Amino acid sequence: MTLETIGIIGGGQLGRMLAIAAARLNFRTIILEPQADCPAAQVANRQIVAAYDDPAALDELARECRVVTYEFENVPVAAAERLAALRTVYPPPKALEVAQDRLTEKRFLNDCGIETAKFHAVDSQADLERALEDFGGKGVLKTRRLGYDGKGQRVFRTPDDSTSGVFEAMGSVPLIVESFVPFEREVSVIAARGTDGTIEAYDLAENVHRNGILHTSTLPARIGEATTVAARAASERLLAGLDYVGVIGMEFFVMADGTLIANEIAPRVHNSGHWTEAACVVSQFEQHIRAVAGLSLGSPARHSDCVMTNLIGDDMNDVAGWLARPNVLVHLYGKAEARPGRKMGHVTELLR
């Protein structure tokens, strides 16, 4: 293969792991990220230190790269569209537009025939009160944009929970209320679509969250074959509907009867797919690079059962213990400071 360059917008740990995967396939990488010496820049060939929407930086990235991708879904859509006018951008900007607004996302999923929790748009205190009344006083209130890892949310567990002043307390920004879903467990599927329309999906992971942040992903998930088939079919409909290229993550609630309710999508490699670098020959990161570069997708087959555990904040104190255990892959993200709630790395333990 010839040495070509892939641009990556965003310099966090996902960009870091994409750059590592790209290097193994003989690609150079350029990171666009305003923070100097970001995790991705430590392993990439070059970093452009600039804002994600800096016109000159975007034009420079387009000149230097054959294709541009991104590591997080809050890249400004206008920036992605500017790049797309100059250079191929995968996943397409439409995926960003859908994923950045929870109301747009829910409607798009429903249009693809994928069931979600019931929801109402909230643009005022009165909207909030009407929506919660419709849901029996219970529901999850979320900002429509920019929330992640449990941020920008408020839960109403009983009809007695006060709603007074909540819209203003949430910033008087567009919100969405989702109905409670009586699920038994949470799962996710990591799927990829190539430039030729080929789709490959990894086995479903069973996920456990703590304080709104993913704690563990376990393979295999405790689900039946019908649930697996339904999740993969949903991912295929979503990928086709977006004319997608690259890796996508889809999170689901599993109901008592095995049916699925889609929770959210992430148009990028996903935390719940980190296990693939230890338990598959082709990781989600390599799969994404293959897809955006126009190469054949690799097999998503899993060779081992496993548990992936995020290292968050002071979990870094446990690294020495993890390193001493057999059959454990330790991956640290090159972040200088461990703060509460900050993802510092992850470990994947192969079980058999």
Side-chain angles (χ1 to χ4, degrees):
M1 292 175 59
T2 58
L3 205 61
E4 297 181 306
T5 302
I6 296 174
I8 302 173
I9 303 178
Q13 63 264 19
L14 299 181
R16 178 188 181 94
M17 289 182 272
L18 287 171
I20 292 170
R24 290 179 60 246
L25 294 178
N26 220 28
F27 290 104
R28 296 170 56 84
T29 49
I30 298 177
I31 306 298
L32 173 60
E33 162 65 44
Q35 176 191 333
D37 192 33
C38 59
Q42 296 167 18
V43 298
N45 296 95
R46 182 184 165 207
Q47 179 184 1
I48 299 173
V49 181
Y52 304 127
D53 58 355
D54 182 297
L58 292 168
D59 292 351
E60 181 180 359
L61 188 67
R63 286 195 302 271
E64 297 294 327
C65 299
R66 179 165 74 86
V67 63
V68 177
T69 189
Y70 43 86
E71 65 134 20
F72 71 118
E73 59 267 45
N74 289 322
V75 173
V77 173
E81 291 175 338
R82 181 186 182 95
L83 276 171
L86 303 169
R87 186 66 63 204
T88 301
V89 175
Y90 290 138
K94 180 182 178 180
L96 288 174
E97 188 173 8
V98 169
Q100 284 179 4
D101 186 306
R102 287 189 170 92
L103 182 63
T104 303
E105 177 187 70
K106 290 285 190 295
R107 288 172 173 167
F108 190 86
L109 286 168
N110 290 168
D111 289 344
C112 291
I114 300 169
E115 187 175 357
T116 64
K118 295 180 174 59
F119 58 90
H120 286 300
V122 172
D123 294 303
S124 67
Q125 182 68 29
D127 284 347
L128 172 60
E129 292 168 2
R130 282 192 295 267
L132 285 174
E133 183 179 0
D134 187 42
F135 294 153
K138 298 181 288 185
V140 183
L141 179 67
K142 303 177 181 180
T143 56
R144 282 172 51 180
R145 303 178 69 87
L146 299 179
Y148 66 97
D149 285 345
K151 298 178 176 65
Q153 298 188 16
R154 183 152 178 172
V155 179
F156 297 89
R157 301 187 184 281
T158 74
D160 296 329
D161 289 348
S162 174
T163 62
S164 178
V166 168
F167 182 76
E168 183 177 359
M170 293 284 284
S172 300
V173 297
L175 306 171
I176 183 173
V177 169
E178 301 173 11
S179 64
F180 270 139
V181 176
F183 63 93
E184 289 202 332
R185 56 186 48 89
E186 297 178 68
V187 299
S188 59
V189 61
I190 306 299
R193 185 171 183 265
T195 54
D196 62 354
T198 299
I199 294 175
E200 297 285 1
Y202 291 91
D203 290 343
L204 273 67
E206 182 171 338
N207 302 319
V208 174
H209 292 77
R210 289 183 179 175
N211 300 317
I213 303 174
L214 181 66
H215 174 55
T216 60
S217 294
T218 300
L219 281 292
R222 294 171 294 168
I223 54 175
E225 181 63 22
T227 302
T228 297
V229 170
R232 288 179 172 170
S235 70
E236 290 177 4
R237 291 198 298 275
L238 176 66
L239 290 167
L242 291 170
D243 195 18
Y244 198 89
V245 173
V247 164
I248 198 167
M250 289 189 72
E251 297 180 344
F252 297 92
F253 299 124
V254 183
M255 310 301 284
D257 62 358
T259 58
L260 294 170
I261 301 293
N263 180 27
E264 62 182 25
I265 65 173
R268 52 172 171 78
V269 289
H270 194 258
N271 194 171
S272 69
H274 289 358
W275 62 271
T276 60
E277 68 176 347
C280 300
V281 172
V282 176
S283 72
Q284 65 163 341
F285 307 103
E286 180 177 329
Q287 194 79 294
H288 187 79
I289 295 299
R290 285 180 179 228
V292 303
L295 304 176
S296 299
L297 297 185
S299 168
R302 173 172 56 87
H303 56 69
S304 301
D305 295 348
C306 63
V307 178
M308 186 284 300
T309 303
N310 271 330
L311 301 177
I312 299 171
D314 289 341
D315 290 343
M316 287 292 286
N317 297 330
D318 303 329
V319 168
W322 283 110
L323 287 169
R325 297 172 64 171
N327 302 318
V328 171
L329 183 150
V330 176
H331 194 138
L332 305 179
Y333 300 155
K335 297 179 181 180
E337 181 184 1
R339 299 192 297 266
R342 191 182 197 194
K343 295 174 182 174
M344 301 298 297
H346 67 269
V347 297
T348 304
E349 182 173 13
L350 301 183
L351 303 179
R352 62 176 177 85

